[in-house]
Amino acid sequence: MNISRRTLLRYAGAAGLSGATAASLTTALTGFQQASAADISGYRALVCIFLLGGMDCHDTVLPFDEANYESYSRVRSSLLSSYNQLGGGSTRVRDRLLPLNPVNASQFEGRQFALPEELSELHDLFESGRASIVGNVGPLIEPLTLDQFRQRTGRIPRQLFSHNDQQSTWMANAPEGARRGWGGRFADAAISSSANSGESFTTISTAGSSVFLVGDRAQPYELGRNGAGSFDQLARAEQGRNSEEGEESFQRLRAFLQANDYDGNNLIGRDIASIQETAFLANEAYNNATQNAPDLPISFANDALGPQLEAVARAIQARDALGQRRQVFFVAFGNFDTHSSQAADLPGLQRTLSDGISRFVQTMDAFGLMNDVTVFTASDFGRSLASNGDGTDHGWGGHHFVIGDAVEGQTIFGDIPPYDLGHANDAGAGRLLPSLSVDQYAEPLGRWFGLTEEEIALALPGLSNFSSQESLKLFPGPA
């Protein structure tokens, strides 16, 4: 849909419509009608954990068979030397790695893989059939060979290797400046199907504003580590409610904040008033829904990820009070741009990721919801296999985790290219030319979420460039 709801309403209120505008309006309305067929039975939530900076996929899913580990050690000798110099010994020596036993191991013809011990909880989830890995996924416009990339005869995503642009391309299929993301488009289908009693809590971010959650109707509701945001003036006024004058002042300010009584002609002023009213009412609704909620059964670490996943867990706990049956969440934490000090920095980030996901899964288990919640990772890009000394440089394709009881578990989907240079997916210095596009990664998530064929096509317009035979079977059965 190429027309926003606000634009649609503004056009509808105009005295007349041009032919072009009428055509756009018809297209938009057709899209809304198509989106009305989403499956909205039960509850389902998608939780995207975005690893800002570009997670090193080669230092996350490592080779375990001796031949490939030897090749890896040769190419990354300087980086592994940095690991060896750390106190306590290197966690990248082969004997300390945690081998993976995928049910589709025969696909890799004797090649074996492992996770570092810092990802031990994720390893346990994989081995118990509650998580899978999607190998070598990244932005693609259409299938692309190495020769086409080198000779520039195929369509290549714009602004490769740029942080901001590739973050946006992962979230919204276009470089920085994109206006709508595929998480928001998934949510549009749920909103149009009346899955939720209101739009405000269909998409929720714990990491500030995110294009990933923006749709034609979906707009992200932002949660802080302590829950809903607040208006500073109202918070200060609330402290003085112990007097009659203070109570009157508080009520006047509260009435002002929730009232959209702007009567001017300035569109910006009108929008600001509308945003203020929406934010105030949403915050009050969220606070009312969560204020009497019991404590979570699992505590979260006070690190870069834990409080965010705790906020997501509290929002899911309040799903019935908030009237939600379909939700998309966006969580993010950074410092994965490991150009240097990778051996010192990346293991701690991996521990944070693994621990946070494990505690979140335990919380969902206590709610009986892990079949209804799917967690998946994303990142700007992978990194180069070749080391620059004690770090790695920007890459392209990467390996990601999908976690949930609905997932076809203990499986490595896609491909894990050789841990060497000069192979068919080496776009230079061991940067991986993706085998799977972000659209192909997103498609099964959207189907599991309940989208129809038409809704998938609207949410992921680039998917039509890829063969349906290459669809990921992340979920068993028709999903």
Side-chain angles (χ1 to χ4, degrees), residues 125-440:
L125 288 168
F126 182 93
E127 292 296 299
S128 63
R130 309 187 75 188
S132 284
I133 293 167
V134 180
N136 197 22
V137 57
L140 287 172
I141 298 172
E142 61 188 8
L144 190 67
T145 67
L146 188 58
D147 283 343
Q148 289 172 327
F149 172 68
R150 287 173 171 169
Q151 298 169 19
R152 298 300 192 265
T153 56
R155 289 192 291 171
I156 300 170
R158 291 181 291 160
Q159 302 297 109
L160 283 177
F161 318 126
S162 159
H163 285 295
N164 292 349
D165 291 295
Q166 293 311 297
Q167 288 169 12
S168 178
T169 301
W170 254 93
M171 298 180 199
N173 302 302
E176 189 173 19
R179 297 176 59 190
R180 298 173 185 83
W182 50 271
R185 293 190 179 106
F186 285 4
D188 279 343
I191 290 170
S192 296
S193 297
S194 301
N196 302 333
S197 62
E199 300 179 10
S200 295
F201 307 109
T202 306
T203 58
I204 294 179
S205 171
T206 62
S209 179
S210 169
V211 68
F212 175 71
L213 297 179
V214 178
D216 285 290
R217 297 178 64 177
Q219 295 295 322
Y221 178 73
E222 297 181 22
L223 276 179
R225 61 185 298 150
N226 297 316
S230 63
F231 290 83
D232 290 342
Q233 304 97 318
L234 190 64
R236 287 194 293 268
E238 190 168 15
Q239 295 175 2
R241 294 179 68 183
N242 53 355
S243 68
E244 183 176 342
E245 183 180 352
E247 176 67 20
E248 183 179 350
S249 176
F250 170 80
Q251 293 299 342
R252 280 202 308 269
L253 180 58
R254 182 179 179 278
F256 168 76
L257 290 172
Q258 72 174 335
N260 181 7
D261 55 2
Y262 179 81
D263 58 1
N265 294 321
N266 186 289
L267 292 177
I268 295 177
R270 190 178 303 164
D271 278 352
I272 290 174
S274 177
I275 291 169
Q276 174 180 285
E277 177 195 29
T278 300
F280 181 87
L281 294 175
N283 286 351
E284 283 218 328
Y286 186 85
N287 287 332
N288 290 337
T290 58
Q291 63 183 353
N292 295 319
D295 291 339
L296 293 178
I298 302 295
S299 61
F300 286 78
N302 187 23
D303 54 26
L305 180 61
Q308 295 188 66
L309 289 175
E310 180 178 359
V312 172
R314 291 189 186 282
I316 291 175
Q317 182 184 37
R319 65 196 180 282
D320 291 335
L322 293 171
Q324 304 297 295
R325 285 189 286 178
R326 289 293 182 277
Q327 292 182 286
V328 185
F329 295 90
F330 181 81
V331 172
F333 74 113
N335 296 320
F336 286 89
D337 192 20
T338 50
H339 285 287
S340 61
S341 302
Q342 181 163 318
D345 297 340
L346 183 60
L349 295 169
Q350 291 174 331
R351 278 193 295 270
T352 297
L353 176 65
S354 186
D355 176 76
I357 289 176
S358 175
R359 293 175 191 243
F360 182 77
V361 169
Q362 292 176 60
T363 304
M364 294 301 105
D365 281 342
F367 293 163
L369 285 176
M370 208 52 217
N371 198 60
D372 306 311
V373 177
T374 296
V375 180
F376 62 97
T377 63
S379 190
D380 317 14
F381 33 63
R383 303 191 76 81
S384 62
L385 178 65
S387 171
N388 61 25
D390 67 343
T392 54
D393 297 321
H394 297 178
W396 189 352
H399 313 321
H400 289 284
F401 297 97
V402 185
I403 303 102
D405 286 348
V407 174
E408 188 72 65
Q410 204 177 350
T411 304
I412 298 177
F413 294 94
D415 186 31
I416 307 287
Y419 293 86
D420 206 344
L421 304 177
H423 54 76
N425 286 92
D426 181 4
R431 296 178 176 92
L432 297 182
L433 171 65
S435 307
L436 291 168
S437 70
V438 175
D439 286 321
Q440 290 171 293

Side-chain angles (χ1 to χ4, degrees), residues 95-143:
D95 289 346
R96 290 184 65 172
L97 298 178
L98 307 175
L100 295 167
N101 297 286
V103 295
N104 61 332
S106 61
Q107 170 185 328
F108 298 98
E109 301 179 338
R111 296 176 62 212
Q112 297 174 311
F113 310 98
L115 299 183
E117 59 187 41
E118 291 84 6
L119 294 176
S120 60
E121 295 92 348
L122 271 172
H123 178 267
D124 291 345
L125 288 168
F126 182 93
E127 292 296 299
S128 63
R130 309 187 75 188
S132 284
I133 293 167
V134 180
N136 197 22
V137 57
L140 287 172
I141 298 172
E142 61 188 8

Side-chain angles (χ1 to χ4, degrees), residues 55-91:
M55 182 182 70
D56 190 334
C57 57
H58 308 292
D59 209 349
T60 298
V61 181
L62 291 95
F64 192 71
D65 61 283
E66 291 187 7
N68 278 281
Y69 185 82
E70 193 65 31
S71 172
Y72 177 82
S73 299
R74 174 178 48 79
V75 176
R76 285 202 157 180
S77 59
S78 61
L79 179 58
L80 292 181
S81 177
S82 296
Y83 273 106
N84 291 330
Q85 293 169 14
L86 295 175
S90 172
T91 61

Side-chain angles (χ1 to χ4, degrees), residues 450-465:
L451 272 65
T452 64
E453 294 288 339
E454 293 81 6
E455 291 159 352
I456 289 287
L458 283 168
L460 304 169
L463 185 63
S464 60
N465 295 331

